């Protein structure tokens, strides 16, 4: 393997056969795939909502529908800004992450306050506080990126990890929402 070109792709390092290298992820490729995936999830959620129009009649349910939408859209936007700014212009992605994370945190806190006594909220919906915390940490790392290095990550890697967790929470909440809000008149025969 000595003298061979390094393979292109997401993973580098150990796959080259050199055990002294650490595996790493190409951050630019990650954010490109991540953003595309999140925008796809936004579109799929629009389709789900379109087929379940009664969800939009009740203000509390409409807020939860909107929260699921934002939980896919905001990470997608952060991923795009990470690609535009990248390592060359870190202030660009950092500022955008702070602003978008603030929107996400405030929206999530507002949702939590409004749904505090909601009897229809399932276990995942009750745990949306984790999203608010993740958004807050994303904003903090955007302001103070050196914090990421204390755990052995670059700032963009730390942010990527938190975005993955946000989308995982969004998936759980979307699944729970869809299974708890089923009506017989949803699909025409």
């Amino acid at each position: 393997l000595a003298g061979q070109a390094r393979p292109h792709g997401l993973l580098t390092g150990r796959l080259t056969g050199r055990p002294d290298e650490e595996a790493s992820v190409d951050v630019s490729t990650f954010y490109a795939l991540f953003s595309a995936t999140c925008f796809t999830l936004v579109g799929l959620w629009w389709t789900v909502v379109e087929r379940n129009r009664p969800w939009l009649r009740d203000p509390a349910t409409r807020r939860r529908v909107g929260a699921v939408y934002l939980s896919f859209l905001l990470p997608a936007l952060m991923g795009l800004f990470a690609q535009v700014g990248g390592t060359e212009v870190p202030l660009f992605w950092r500022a955008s992450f702070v602003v978008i994370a603030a929107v996400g945190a405030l929206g999530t806190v507002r949702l939590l306050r409004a749904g505090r006594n909601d009897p229809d909220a399932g276990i995942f919906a009750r745990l949306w506080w984790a999203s608010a915390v993740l958004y807050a940490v994303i904003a903090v790392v955007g302001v103070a990126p050196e914090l990421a290095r204390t755990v052995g990550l670059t700032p963009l890697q730390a942010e990527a990890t938190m975005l993955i967790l946000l989308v995982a929470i969004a998936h759980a909440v979307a699944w729970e929402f869809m299974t708890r809000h089923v009506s017989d008149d949803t699909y025409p025969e």
Side-chain angles (χ1 to χ4, degrees), residues 3-166:
Q4 289 182 352
R6 195 168 209 187
H8 290 315
L10 280 179
L11 293 177
T12 59
R14 295 179 199 258
L15 295 181
T16 64
R18 297 194 309 245
D20 59 329
E21 288 185 323
E22 291 186 28
S24 64
V25 174
D26 176 25
V27 176
S28 179
T29 303
F30 166 80
Y31 277 111
L33 293 171
F34 180 80
S35 291
T37 301
C38 287
F39 279 117
T40 300
L41 292 170
V42 167
L44 290 171
W45 185 245
W46 284 348
T47 302
V48 168
V49 172
E50 180 64 33
R51 291 180 177 220
N52 294 279
R53 296 298 248 161
W55 290 353
L56 302 176
R57 292 184 193 137
D58 174 56
T61 306
R62 188 171 51 246
R63 269 193 300 276
R64 287 194 302 274
V65 166
V68 171
Y69 165 73
L70 285 178
S71 66
F72 294 133
L73 178 66
L74 296 180
L77 292 173
M78 285 189 251
L80 285 179
F81 285 116
Q83 286 180 274
V84 172
T87 56
E88 295 81 27
V89 188
L91 185 58
F92 185 77
W93 72 258
R94 289 175 50 206
S96 66
F97 273 46
V98 169
V99 170
I100 295 169
V103 169
L106 293 173
T108 303
V109 167
R110 186 171 168 240
L111 178 73
L112 287 168
R113 283 187 181 157
R116 197 174 317 159
N117 300 318
D118 184 358
D120 284 338
I123 187 69
F124 292 120
R126 293 181 195 279
L127 296 177
W128 267 51
W129 61 267
S131 290
V133 170
L134 283 169
Y135 280 123
V137 175
I138 288 169
V140 168
V141 171
V143 170
E146 64 278 2
L147 293 174
R149 300 207 188 281
T150 64
V151 294
L153 298 172
T154 68
L156 282 172
Q157 288 172 328
E159 300 287 41
T161 302
M162 290 181 282
L163 291 176
I164 291 167
L165 294 173
L166 276 176

